[in-house]
Amino acid sequence: MNFGADVTSKLPSWVPVYPNGVTKGGFSATSSGDNGDAGTFTFTTTDSPDQIKSFYEGKAKDANMQTESTTAGGFGTVFTMTDSATRHTVTVTIIGNQVTVGYATK
Protein backbone atom coordinates (compact mmCIF):
# COMPACT_ATOMS: atom_id res chain seq x y z
CA MET A 1 0.00 0.00 0.00
CA ASN A 2 1.31 3.46 -0.91
CA PHE A 3 0.24 6.83 0.48
CA GLY A 4 1.35 10.33 -0.41
CA ALA A 5 1.71 12.94 -3.11
CA ASP A 6 3.88 10.77 -5.40
CA VAL A 7 1.24 8.05 -5.74
CA THR A 8 0.81 8.85 -9.47
CA SER A 9 4.29 7.52 -10.17
CA LYS A 10 3.13 4.06 -9.07
CA LEU A 11 -0.18 3.85 -10.96
CA PRO A 12 -1.09 0.97 -13.26
CA SER A 13 -0.44 1.87 -16.91
CA TRP A 14 -4.18 1.92 -17.70
CA VAL A 15 -4.91 4.83 -15.31
CA PRO A 16 -4.56 8.16 -17.13
CA VAL A 17 -2.88 11.04 -15.27
CA TYR A 18 -4.01 14.53 -16.19
CA PRO A 19 -1.00 16.40 -17.63
CA ASN A 20 -1.81 19.86 -16.20
CA GLY A 21 -2.60 18.75 -12.66
CA VAL A 22 -0.78 19.15 -9.37
CA THR A 23 -1.22 15.99 -7.30
CA LYS A 24 -2.32 16.67 -3.74
CA GLY A 25 -2.18 13.12 -2.40
CA GLY A 26 -3.66 9.68 -2.64
CA PHE A 27 -3.17 5.99 -2.02
CA SER A 28 -2.77 2.84 -4.03
CA ALA A 29 -2.95 -0.84 -3.16
CA THR A 30 -2.00 -3.94 -5.07
CA SER A 31 -2.97 -7.41 -4.05
CA SER A 32 -2.18 -10.82 -5.39
CA GLY A 33 -4.71 -13.22 -6.79
CA ASP A 34 -8.08 -12.06 -8.08
CA ASN A 35 -8.40 -9.06 -5.76
CA GLY A 36 -6.72 -6.62 -8.18
CA ASP A 37 -5.46 -3.07 -7.85
CA ALA A 38 -7.26 -0.11 -6.34
CA GLY A 39 -6.50 3.43 -5.38
CA THR A 40 -7.33 7.09 -5.59
CA PHE A 41 -5.55 10.39 -6.02
CA THR A 42 -6.55 14.03 -6.00
CA PHE A 43 -5.20 16.88 -8.07
CA THR A 44 -5.91 20.52 -8.74
CA THR A 45 -5.59 22.38 -12.01
CA THR A 46 -6.28 25.79 -13.47
CA ASP A 47 -7.96 24.11 -16.47
CA SER A 48 -11.74 24.15 -16.82
CA PRO A 49 -13.92 21.17 -15.89
CA ASP A 50 -14.75 20.78 -19.61
CA GLN A 51 -11.04 20.49 -20.48
CA ILE A 52 -10.55 17.84 -17.79
CA LYS A 53 -13.59 15.86 -18.93
CA SER A 54 -12.48 16.09 -22.56
CA PHE A 55 -9.03 14.70 -21.66
CA TYR A 56 -10.53 11.68 -19.89
CA GLU A 57 -13.09 11.12 -22.67
CA GLY A 58 -10.21 10.98 -25.16
CA LYS A 59 -8.25 8.54 -22.99
CA ALA A 60 -11.33 6.32 -22.64
CA LYS A 61 -11.83 6.31 -26.40
CA ASP A 62 -8.14 5.50 -26.99
CA ALA A 63 -8.44 2.54 -24.59
CA ASN A 64 -11.79 1.35 -26.01
CA MET A 65 -13.45 1.86 -22.63
CA GLN A 66 -17.17 2.54 -22.16
CA THR A 67 -18.01 5.87 -20.57
CA GLU A 68 -20.78 7.29 -18.44
CA SER A 69 -21.03 10.87 -17.27
CA THR A 70 -23.32 12.39 -14.66
CA THR A 71 -23.58 16.10 -13.92
CA ALA A 72 -24.95 17.00 -10.51
CA GLY A 73 -26.58 20.40 -11.05
CA GLY A 74 -24.08 22.98 -9.84
CA PHE A 75 -22.10 20.43 -7.83
CA GLY A 76 -19.79 18.82 -10.36
CA THR A 77 -19.34 15.93 -12.76
CA VAL A 78 -18.68 12.24 -12.22
CA PHE A 79 -17.17 10.48 -15.23
CA THR A 80 -16.71 6.70 -15.25
CA MET A 81 -14.60 4.67 -17.70
CA THR A 82 -14.97 0.88 -17.75
CA ASP A 83 -13.48 -2.04 -19.64
CA SER A 84 -15.43 -5.21 -18.98
CA ALA A 85 -12.81 -7.42 -20.66
CA THR A 86 -10.00 -6.36 -18.31
CA ARG A 87 -12.30 -5.48 -15.38
CA HIS A 88 -10.73 -1.99 -15.15
CA THR A 89 -12.76 0.93 -13.85
CA VAL A 90 -11.67 4.56 -13.54
CA THR A 91 -13.96 7.12 -11.90
CA VAL A 92 -13.19 10.83 -12.21
CA THR A 93 -15.00 13.31 -9.96
CA ILE A 94 -14.61 16.94 -11.06
CA ILE A 95 -15.67 19.70 -8.68
CA GLY A 96 -14.44 23.05 -9.93
CA ASN A 97 -10.66 22.83 -10.18
CA GLN A 98 -10.32 19.87 -7.80
CA VAL A 99 -10.39 16.37 -9.28
CA THR A 100 -10.41 12.96 -7.62
CA VAL A 101 -9.55 9.88 -9.66
CA GLY A 102 -10.39 6.44 -8.33
CA TYR A 103 -9.47 3.18 -10.02
CA ALA A 104 -9.98 -0.52 -9.48
CA THR A 105 -9.67 -3.91 -11.08
CA LYS A 106 -12.61 -6.03 -9.99
Side-chain angles (χ1 to χ4, degrees):
M1 189 169 275
N2 297 304
F3 292 92
D6 71 341
V7 70
T8 57
S9 67
K10 299 174 178 84
L11 292 174
S13 61
W14 51 269
V15 179
V17 177
Y18 192 72
N20 299 326
V22 177
T23 304
K24 297 298 182 182
F27 82 92
S28 64
T30 303
S31 90
S32 59
D34 293 332
N35 295 323
D37 301 319
T40 187
F41 62 94
T42 301
F43 67 88
T44 58
T45 181
T46 57
D47 292 348
S48 73
D50 287 339
Q51 288 172 293
I52 300 161
K53 184 179 175 207
S54 179
F55 169 82
Y56 282 101
E57 284 175 331
K59 291 298 183 182
K61 183 177 179 181
D62 292 347
N64 294 318
M65 297 176 90
Q66 278 71 39
T67 62
E68 181 180 329
S69 180
T70 305
T71 302
F75 177 70
T77 299
V78 177
F79 182 78
T80 303
M81 307 162 41
T82 58
D83 183 335
S84 59
T86 61
R87 303 177 312 151
H88 295 159
T89 300
V90 178
T91 302
V92 181
T93 304
I94 307 166
I95 302 172
N97 71 339
Q98 182 164 318
V99 182
T100 300
V101 178
Y103 63 92
T105 301
K106 298 178 181 183

